[in-house]
């Protein structure tokens, strides 16, 4: 999961020396898999975003805000800029090919209206987190950044041998998947996300499985188990701590599902990993 595409290199180059942040939401499973990005570039992973998401209901507010921006970009099919629910400025640029939405490029973490930002974010003017944000990036610059990324994405896709035509993922399912990828360690439930996105719970679960080929519950557990395996291999944390950090609030359940998926307990997996590295 760490074999990121050349697209990630371009994002790093564009961000070098700047404090704005680029994230890209793909709406095609094949393209998303081949142009793989770190989770922090699927949903904004910045110091400011991480801080406000830790507030009560902060994560849900951010995800609801992104859903609205995504829906607007999809419906208008035009770039636009605006302020997020916490006062940061963000530029949204949808990318279409053959009348199909490939992705939406977001350029955010921009501090454009300081007074509005302080009022919405409820931060002190002296809060050091403000220094982690880009003082201002004009829309014209954001547009150039997005156009460079869009052109590179299309170039990468044209250079790939395998076909990429596929029924696009429903924007809400794409948002739910990104939510799970980035915040799997939170207490996430299908009913909670159904309320967040104003969907019937059963319908959302059915649509998720139809679009991604795996149930909501199984997808979430796979993401959590992958993280747990990484911690078991590269940390000395206790099994109890690893279970909690991976989103499992019950260590007995964690042990059971880990064994069901990998044929051994977390302790046995850790011991085998240690022996392999010797």
């Amino acid at each position: 999961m760490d074999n990121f595409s050349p697209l990630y290199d371009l994002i790093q180059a564009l961000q070098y020396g700047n404090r704005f942040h680029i994230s890209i939401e793909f709406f095609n499973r094949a393209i998303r898999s081949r142009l793989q990005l770190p989770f922090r570039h699927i949903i904004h992973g910045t110091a400011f975003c991480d801080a406000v998401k830790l507030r009560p209901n902060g994560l849900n507010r951010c995800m609801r805000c992104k859903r609205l921006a995504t829906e607007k970009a999809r419906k208008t099919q035009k770039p636009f800029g605006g302020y997020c629910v916490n006062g940061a400025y963000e530029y949204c640029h949808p990318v279409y090919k053959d009348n199909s939405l490939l992705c939406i490029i977001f350029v955010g973490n921009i501090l454009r209206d300081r007074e509005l930002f302080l009022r919405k974010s409820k931060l002190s003017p002296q809060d050091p987190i403000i220094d982690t944000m880009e003082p201002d990036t004009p829309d014209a610059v954001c547009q150039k950044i997005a156009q460079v990324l869009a052109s590179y994405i299309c170039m990468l896709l044209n250079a790939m041998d395998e076909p990429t035509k596929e029924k696009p993922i429903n924007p809400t399912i794409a948002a739910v998947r990104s939510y799970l990828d980035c915040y799997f360690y939170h207490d996430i439930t299908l009913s909670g996300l159904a309320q967040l996105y104003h969907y019937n719970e059963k319908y959302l679960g059915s649509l998720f499985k139809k679009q991604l080929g795996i149930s909501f519950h199984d997808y979430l557990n796979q993401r959590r188990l992958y993280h747990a395996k990484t911690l078991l291999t590269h940390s000395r944390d206790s099994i109890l701590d690893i279970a909690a950090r991976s989103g499992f609030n019950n260590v007995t359940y964690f042990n059971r599902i880990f064994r069901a998926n990998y044929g051994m307990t977390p302790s046995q997996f850790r011991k085998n990993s240690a022996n392999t590295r010797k």
Side-chain angles (χ1 to χ4, degrees):
M1 294 182 71
D2 293 333
N3 297 321
F4 303 125
S5 75
L7 179 60
Y8 178 44
D9 296 330
L10 177 58
I11 290 174
Q12 288 185 303
L14 290 171
Q15 290 189 173
Y16 184 78
N18 298 291
R19 284 173 280 182
F20 59 73
H21 187 267
I22 297 167
S23 66
I24 303 176
E25 178 65 65
F26 287 101
F27 296 93
N28 179 294
R29 281 178 288 176
I31 294 174
R32 183 180 191 267
S33 176
R34 289 147 66 185
L35 299 185
Q36 195 171 86
L37 296 173
F39 295 134
R40 66 181 180 277
H41 288 292
I42 298 172
I43 292 181
H44 286 307
T46 68
F48 170 67
C49 290
D50 290 344
V52 294
K53 286 169 184 172
L54 289 174
R55 295 173 177 175
N57 202 38
L59 180 57
N60 284 350
R61 291 177 75 240
C62 288
M63 292 303 300
R64 188 179 297 113
C65 183
K66 182 175 181 181
R67 176 178 64 84
L68 293 174
T70 298
E71 289 180 353
K72 180 177 178 179
R74 181 172 57 87
K75 289 178 180 177
T76 65
Q77 300 186 17
K78 295 179 180 180
F80 66 92
Y83 296 93
C84 79
V85 66
N86 293 299
Y89 189 82
E90 181 178 66
Y91 185 83
C92 306
H93 185 99
V95 180
Y96 280 81
K97 184 178 181 181
D98 300 328
N99 295 318
S100 177
L101 178 62
L102 297 182
C103 64
I104 298 176
I105 299 169
F106 298 90
V107 183
N109 202 48
I110 299 169
L111 180 56
R112 177 164 293 184
D113 185 328
R114 188 178 182 87
E115 183 179 339
L116 181 145
F117 173 78
L118 292 175
R119 186 172 68 252
K120 285 197 168 187
S121 68
K122 299 180 181 179
L123 292 177
S124 162
Q126 290 75 41
D127 196 308
I129 205 170
I130 296 175
D131 294 331
T132 68
M133 303 183 69
E134 184 69 21
D136 191 12
T137 303
D139 278 1
V141 175
C142 293
Q143 184 180 38
K144 289 293 183 184
I145 292 169
Q147 287 174 340
V148 168
L149 286 165
S151 296
Y152 192 60
I153 289 170
C154 291
M155 183 189 75
L156 289 174
L157 294 178
N158 289 335
M160 293 176 176
D161 295 330
E162 298 178 19
T164 57
K165 287 189 176 181
E166 180 185 276
K167 184 178 180 180
I169 294 178
N170 176 285
T172 297
I173 298 303
V176 168
R177 178 183 58 190
S178 293
Y179 190 113
L180 298 182
D181 285 344
C182 296
Y183 303 111
F184 57 87
Y185 50 87
H186 282 260
D187 185 17
I188 298 174
T189 63
L190 178 60
S191 61
L193 287 177
Q195 291 179 15
L196 175 63
Y197 292 112
H198 307 291
Y199 269 70
N200 174 274
E201 180 181 347
K202 289 185 178 180
Y203 177 73
L204 183 63
S206 175
L207 184 61
F208 188 97
K209 186 170 185 178
K210 180 179 179 180
Q211 293 263 302
L212 301 183
I214 184 173
S215 73
F216 174 92
H217 183 70
D218 287 344
Y219 187 97
L220 178 57
N221 276 338
Q222 284 189 13
R223 185 66 193 90
R224 287 172 167 172
L225 287 171
Y226 177 83
H227 185 67
K229 284 175 60 180
T230 302
L231 293 177
L232 287 167
T233 303
H234 301 291
S235 81
R236 296 184 179 180
D237 295 343
S238 69
I239 302 298
L240 182 62
D241 285 342
I242 288 175
R245 288 175 61 190
S246 301
F248 296 101
N249 53 21
N250 184 308
V251 71
T252 301
Y253 176 72
F254 170 60
N255 284 324
R256 183 168 70 249
I257 194 170
F258 193 97
R259 183 163 191 163
N261 278 266
Y262 302 120
M264 64 184 79
T265 66
S267 297
Q268 291 170 330
F269 177 85
R270 168 173 271 173
K271 185 179 294 185
N272 289 350
S273 298
N275 291 335
T276 301
R277 293 198 302 272
K278 289 181 180 179

